[in-house]
Amino acid sequence: MEVVQNERELQKALEGDLEDIGVQGRLVAKITPLVSANNASWYIAMVAITTAFIESTEATGMGAAIPQRIMATEDAAGAVDILGAEATYTAISMAVAAGSVEILEHLRAYRLEKCEDNKAVLVKR
């Protein structure tokens, strides 16, 4: 089982389509709202994140995409309302690192099993 501690490592592990991914540190709290959101909340948040991501990357180019800039857009506000600021920032950071919001759908293919406050395992559904 691969163990990840930040968004970039998680994004790479998700792209590897692993069965189990260990998660440690503050990343556990950051991804909990992303994995545990109900379907309606998830889709509303995804529309907000996708819109903010696309508008930002079209305006500045993918090479200039910065999570902070995307997070500051009005479009991202809907996701912040649903997921919270940390989870939304984490989702945007992963999308920027992957070059697409599609990576977030990979995350939804997992369930989160908490082991301790700062340790959990993402298990493929």
Side-chain angles (χ1 to χ4, degrees):
M1 170 175 40
E2 187 171 339
V3 178
V4 299
Q5 296 184 13
N6 62 50
E7 291 88 342
R8 180 74 173 151
E9 291 174 355
L10 177 57
Q11 173 253 323
K12 287 186 179 274
L14 290 170
E15 287 176 343
D17 201 31
L18 304 173
E19 289 298 315
D20 299 326
I21 303 169
V23 183
Q24 292 184 342
R26 293 214 12 89
L27 187 58
V28 174
K30 291 177 180 180
I31 66 167
T32 297
L34 296 172
V35 178
S36 63
N38 66 44
N39 286 340
S41 296
W42 172 254
Y43 291 121
I44 293 167
M46 279 302 297
V47 167
I49 291 169
T50 301
T51 303
F53 181 83
I54 290 171
E55 286 181 2
S56 183
T57 55
E58 284 179 352
T60 63
M62 192 60 215
I66 299 170
Q68 294 89 337
R69 187 176 301 147
I70 297 170
M71 185 77 174
T73 66
E74 281 185 35
D75 295 317
V80 172
D81 287 345
I82 293 168
L83 301 172
E86 270 194 329
T88 302
Y89 184 82
T90 296
I92 290 170
S93 295
M94 289 173 57
V96 168
S100 168
V101 294
E102 186 178 327
I103 194 69
L104 302 175
E105 287 299 323
H106 292 289
L107 181 60
R108 286 290 285 188
Y110 290 82
R111 71 179 188 282
L112 188 67
E113 295 180 357
K114 288 195 175 184
C115 302
E116 298 173 23
D117 283 344
N118 292 323
K119 290 187 180 182
V121 177
L122 286 168
V123 180
K124 194 149 197 174
R125 297 178 199 246

